[in-house]
Structures are given as structure tokens and as C-alpha cells.
């Protein structure tokens, strides 16, 4: 079978792991695979935080003020401007569409598309083009675990199927079904079988071929970074706002064996002549055997390697993040580490189910920085119940820890309907008086809402203080190996 995979979720720093994995499985089964990467044909992708310009603080204030404005017209204008600049709009994807047309002209039996919800418009254009030539199209992505979104996409003319869940265990069956069998496949909704039951979480990772990244535009990436994943889901999995543990890649925690991870590092590094890895695990210290395996063996496996990872600093149980372990991790090549601060106010951390304290986070960032690891943190503004004083505490935490933190990402609360927070608000709206006008948005996959927390002048002034501290941290130039990972996570 000639199968083309369209990687709409492509990123400008490294290949897309899920697409590499699908390509490897299909090739191992004897299919002829083509990967279409919009980035390879000059289409931009979403950007991650990098060093802001000197006036970036005013930019962040403007963004915040317009995002939370009580004036609907201001927010509508902001959304319009963002949409006009979005790489997801069909006009920005003209080169991708031309690539797809070329592949269809040369002869393709099946199109598989990997997409986030904002790519619906361009997916519709691809599906219509494929339908004109009688080529089936199946789309998959993390948001399709939500049945209403899957149904919305299945409505696109020419769409043959929407897949939800982890595809590895069902991919070959899916190809057989779409190409003629028509039988039911777990996770696959089709116009004839629209009811979607997400596929069960996949676990047999060690039986999979390593992801195949041969089709990606290596010459366009600033560094030759190989994405790796040692496990799916998160060993913590409690945070109330977290959509990652609800969508396809996150349900329950499952890990690869360290031997399989190690073999892949060797294989990918030889194949792509690189020793740079980004571990995409939600929490790399979920399986401590793998975490310590990396610390103990990464340098003997790929001498000189550098890598980056996300961890969670929980206060109960062993985290593998003590000062000695962090020093050893740095020696093993860990250059940059990301963790969630989210808030420095204990009441907010508890409400979020973070399982940590500001003191534990304080120790962690000091120890990591003293070990020579560049620290990146994420934060959330506007969690229900957050007060101006809570935001000031976070601002103070950032000011006190400026020497130890290199980058901070500020997010305003996003509510995904399927998360514990989204469910709780829908069940008991009276307990969340700050959150109003909650409504699902099928285009974004989020719940649109009004958040009264942002409307208090005290909160706004605390946010300005925090944004100022964030700007001072983010203006720090990165040093050494951590520069390799600027904008990567
Ligand atoms: S630690 Fe991170 S990945 Fe795990 S549940 Fe919390 S936010 Fe989600």
C-alpha cells in the first residue's frame, strides 16, 4: 500500500515522534510511506518561549490585558489578530496543500493526517482534495479522545475516519479496515460507525520498531535533536487542570524498559549523527529505573550526549531529584530541565493537586542550578480561588530564585472539559463563582469561559509584578549547552 502521512503537528526544532513511530510501523509491515512535513516546505509552526526583546515586558502586559479584558470587542479583536497570524489557517498551509496534491498526483492509496484541533480547516481542504480522487483520509490526534470533537471532524466532507487513542497496536488493522475490510477497529470512528470508543492505552513498547525520522527536514532544524519518549502518561497524574493525562498520550502510566531506551539512543545517534536528545515524557522521573538508568549510562551509551527533560517535584515518595542525583544527571548530559511551578501559593498548589510545596520547588531549582542544569518553569494564572496575594507570592518566588531559573512560561488558565477541574466546574458551578459562561469550543478543544479572577484591580497589579519578574528572568542569556535547547520545550 502507498501511504502518505501529513504531519500538521510538525515543529520547527525536531521531528514529530508520533509520525516517526507510525512511519516505522507501516514500513516494517511492507507499506511504502511518504511523510509530508509542512515545515520542510516553508510553513511555520507554533513557537515556544525564547529570550524576549528588551521591551518584551510591555508586550506581555498588552497580551494579558487584551486576553482578560472585560470588553468583549477587545477579546474578539485579539482572537481575530491571532487567527490571522496562525500557521494553522488554510492560506498559511498553501504549500502543504500543494505537497499533498503532488503526492496524490503521483499515486497514493491512503492519507493519514496527524493534527491538533486548530488544523480543521486545512484538514477539510485535504480531505476534499483526496475525496475527488477517491483516496481515503483518516485523521488522528490527541484531542479526538473527546467524542464531540471527533464527531465534528468526522463531519468534514471526504473524511473517512477519525482515530482516538494510541494508534500503535491498531494501525495495521486500521489500514485494512479503511482500505476495504470495513470492520470495527478500536479507536476508529467512520461515517458508518460514528460511535467512538478510544483504543485502550498501549503498553508493549519494547516490541515496536524505533521511530523512523529519515523523512524529516534535518537541514532546517537549528540543532540535530532527536525526540525520545521512555513512557506514556505521568506517574503522578493527579493535577486537576492537566489535559495531558486525559488525552490520548496520557491515560495511565506505562514505561519502556531502560534497555530498549538505551538501544534507541545508540541507533538514533548513529543514524542521524547526533548526540542531542529531548525526552518528551510528561514526567521523566515517573519510572526511577529509567531515570537512574539514563543518569548512570547515558554517557557510555552516547559519549558527549546532551539532553533535556520534564520532571515533577512531588513531596511524597522518592523523586530521584536530590542534589547528588542532579549533579550526576548533569554529568550524564542533562543540560536543561523543565518543571511546573504553576504557583508559589500553597493553597493554589493544593487546589491544583500538584502534590508539592513552594519549599520543595525552591530546593529543587537551587540544586539543579548549582549542578549546572538550566531550569525552566511553567506557571498558571487565574486558577479558581487564586487571590492577588497568591500571585504576589509567585512573583516573590521568582524574584528570590532569579539566579537559579533561566526561563518561565506564563499560561492563563485553560479549561479542558474532560479534566478533573473541567468536570468539577460543570458538576458544581456554584463552587466556582469566578468561572462563568462555560461552553465547549469545538475549534480549540477547550472550554470557553469568563474568569472573574482577572477582573479585580488588585489581581491585575499583582500580575504586572509577576510579569515583570518573568521578564527579568527570561531576558537572561543562556549559557553553554542549554542554548541548544532554547525554544525546544
Ligand atoms: S505532573 Fe505534569 S503531567 Fe503529571 S499530572 Fe501534573 S501537570 Fe500533568
Amino acid at each position: 500500500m502507498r501511504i502518505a502521512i501529513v504531519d500538521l503537528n510538525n515543529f520547527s526544532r525536531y521531528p514529530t515522534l508520533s509520525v516517526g513511530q507510525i512511519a516505522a510501523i507501516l514500513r516494517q509491515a511492507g507499506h511504502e510511506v511518504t511523510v509530508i512535513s509542512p515545515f520542510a516546505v516553508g510553513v511555520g509552526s507554533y513557537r515556544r518561549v525564547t529570550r524576549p526583546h528588551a521591551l518584551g515586558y510591555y508586550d506581555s502586559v498588552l497580551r494579558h490585558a487584551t486576553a482578560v479584558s472585560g470588553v468583549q470587542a477587545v477579546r474578539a479583536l485579539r482572537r481575530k489578530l491571532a487567527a490571522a497570524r496562525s500557521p494553522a489557517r488554510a492560506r498559511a498551509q498553501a504549500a502543504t496543500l500543494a505537497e499533498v496534491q503532488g503526492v496524490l498526483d503521483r499515486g497514493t492509496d491512503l492519507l493519514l493526517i496527524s493534527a491538533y484541533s486548530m488544523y480543521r480547516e486545512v484538514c477539510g481542504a485535504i480531505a476534499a482534495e483526496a475525496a475527488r480522487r477517491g483516496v481515503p483520509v483518516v485523521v488522528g490526534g490527541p484531542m479526538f479522545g473527546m467524542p464531540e470533537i471527533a464527531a465534528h471532524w468526522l463531519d468534514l466532507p471526504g473524511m473517512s475516519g477519525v482515530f482516538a487513542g494510541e494508534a500503535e497496536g491498531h494501525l495495521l488493522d486500521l489500514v485494512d479496515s479503511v482500505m476495504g475490510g470495513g470492520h470495527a477497529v478500536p479507536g476508529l470512528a467512520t461515517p458508518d460507525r460514528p460511535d467512538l470508543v478510544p483504543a485502550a492505552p498501549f503498553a508493549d513498547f519494547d516490541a515496536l520498531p524505533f521511530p523512523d525520522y529519515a523523512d524529516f527536514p534535518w537541514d532546517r532544524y537549528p540543532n540535530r535533536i532527536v525526540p525520545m519518549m521512555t513512557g506514556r502518561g505521568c506517574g503522578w497524574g493527579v493535577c486537576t487542570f492537566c489535559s495531558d493525562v486525559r488525552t490520548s498520550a496520557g491515560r495511565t502510566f506505562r514505561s519502556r524498559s531502560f534497555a530498549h531506551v538505551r538501544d534507541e539512543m545508540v541507533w538514533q545517534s548513529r543514524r542521524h549523527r547526533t548526540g542531542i536528545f529531548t525526552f518528551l515524557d510528561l514526567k521523566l522521573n515517573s519510572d526511577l529505573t529509567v531515570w537512574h538508568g539514563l543518569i548512570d549510562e547515558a554517557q557510555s551509551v552516547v559519549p558527549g550526549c546532551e539532553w533535556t527533560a520534564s520532571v515533577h517535584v512531588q513531596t511524597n515518595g522518592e523523586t530521584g531529584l536530590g542534589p547528588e542525583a542532579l549533579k550526576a544527571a548533569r554529568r550524564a548530559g542533562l543540560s536543561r530541565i523543565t518543571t511546573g511551578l504553576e504557583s508559589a501559593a500553597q493553597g493554589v498548589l493544593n487546589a491544583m493537586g500538584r502534590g508539592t510545596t513552594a519549599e520543595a520547588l525552591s530546593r529543587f531549582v537551587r540544586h539543579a542550578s548549582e549542578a549546572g542544569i538550566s531550569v525552566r518553569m511553567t506557571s498558571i494564572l487565574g486558577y479558581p480561588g487564586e487571590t492577588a496575594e497568591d500571585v504576589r507570592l509567585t512573583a516573590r518566588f521568582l524574584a528570590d530564585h532569579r539566579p537559579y531559573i533561566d526561563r518561565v512560561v506564563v499560561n492563563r488558565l485553560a479549561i479542558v472539559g474532560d479534566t478533573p477541574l473541567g468536570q468539577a466546574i460543570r458538576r458544581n458551578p456554584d463552587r466556582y463563582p469566578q468561572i462563568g459562561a462555560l461552553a465547549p469550543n469545538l475549534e480549540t478543544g477547550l472550554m470557553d469561559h469568563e474568569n472573574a479572577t482577572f477582573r479585580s484591580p488588585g489581581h491585575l497589579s499583582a500580575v504586572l509584578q509577576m510579569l515583570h519578574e518573568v521578564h527579568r528572568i527570561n531576558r537572561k542569556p543562556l549559557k553553554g549547552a542549554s542554548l541548544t535547547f532554547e525554544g525546544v520545550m
Side-chain angles (χ1 to χ4, degrees), residues 69-419:
S69 168
V71 183
Q72 276 229 7
V74 171
R75 283 183 288 154
L77 179 65
R78 183 184 197 277
R79 274 199 298 274
K80 232 177 175 168
L81 289 174
R85 294 172 57 196
S86 164
R89 69 199 194 284
R91 231 175 53 196
Q93 293 282 349
T96 311
L97 277 171
E99 280 293 296
V100 172
Q101 273 159 355
V103 165
L104 289 169
D105 287 345
R106 289 193 291 279
T108 288
D109 302 309
L110 171 64
L111 273 182
L112 300 177
I113 306 177
S114 163
Y116 287 128
S117 51
M118 65 280 238
Y119 289 107
R120 188 171 180 271
E121 185 187 5
V122 65
C123 274
I126 292 173
E129 189 64 41
R132 269 194 286 281
R133 302 161 194 241
V135 175
V137 179
V138 177
V139 66
M143 304 312 285
F144 299 124
M146 293 182 225
E148 61 276 20
I149 295 189
H152 186 48
W153 281 62
L154 201 52
D155 271 355
L156 286 169
M159 192 58 78
S160 321
V162 174
F163 186 83
E166 297 178 32
E168 290 88 344
H170 304 288
L171 188 59
L172 302 178
D173 199 18
L174 178 152
V175 171
D176 285 348
S177 174
V178 176
M179 295 310 296
H183 52 280
V185 176
L188 181 67
T190 62
D192 294 337
R193 297 175 197 272
D195 290 336
L196 192 143
V197 181
F202 184 77
D204 195 10
F205 302 113
D206 288 8
L208 292 176
F210 298 138
D212 184 347
Y213 300 131
D215 312 275
F216 288 87
W218 286 94
D219 52 329
R220 286 182 172 254
Y221 302 130
N223 294 292
R224 298 178 74 80
I225 299 177
V226 172
M228 299 271 305
M229 198 178 269
T230 74
R232 298 261 176 86
C234 166
W236 176 245
V238 175
C239 305
T240 57
F241 57 83
C242 180
S243 59
D244 287 330
V245 290
R246 291 286 163 177
T247 51
S248 68
R251 293 167 297 140
T252 73
F253 175 68
R254 295 137 289 141
S255 187
R256 293 166 67 184
S257 69
F258 178 65
H260 199 248
V261 173
R262 187 185 54 206
D263 292 351
E264 185 187 347
M265 289 176 75
V266 173
W267 190 78
Q268 299 282 14
S269 95
R270 286 196 187 133
R271 196 170 197 222
H272 299 294
R273 292 172 286 107
T274 184
I276 315 174
F277 301 94
T278 180
F279 286 92
L280 303 180
D281 301 63
L282 297 171
K283 169 178 176 169
L284 189 60
N285 60 332
S286 291
D287 180 340
L288 292 179
T289 311
V290 171
W291 171 245
H292 286 297
L294 281 170
I295 292 175
D296 294 343
E297 294 189 37
Q299 285 302 315
S300 57
V301 169
V302 180
C305 69
E306 295 287 340
W307 43 286
T308 182
S310 298
V311 294
H312 171 235
V313 187
Q314 70 191 67
T315 42
N316 67 340
E318 176 54 46
T319 61
L321 299 173
E324 293 312 314
L326 288 168
K327 280 183 206 151
R330 177 66 203 109
R331 287 195 296 276
L334 177 59
S335 311
R336 144 98 25 130
I337 203 162
T338 295
T339 196
L341 164 66
E342 316 311 1
S343 170
Q346 197 56 49
V348 178
L349 288 174
N350 293 348
M352 289 176 170
R354 290 288 297 154
T356 194
T357 61
E359 293 73 30
L361 289 160
S362 168
R363 281 193 298 277
F364 168 75
V365 297
R366 280 169 199 267
H367 292 153
S369 174
E370 282 160 13
I373 301 169
S374 168
V375 176
R376 173 183 176 275
M377 302 193 96
T378 54
S379 62
I380 296 176
L381 283 170
Y383 196 85
E386 179 184 77
T387 64
E389 184 47 32
D390 293 333
V391 181
R392 285 194 202 286
L393 275 175
T394 307
R396 226 168 292 144
F397 181 98
L398 294 174
D400 292 346
H401 295 81
R402 192 184 321 133
Y404 314 113
I405 307 172
D406 283 336
R407 291 290 178 266
V408 180
V409 179
V410 181
N411 299 303
R412 276 172 293 279
L413 179 72
I415 302 175
V416 176
D418 203 17
T419 56

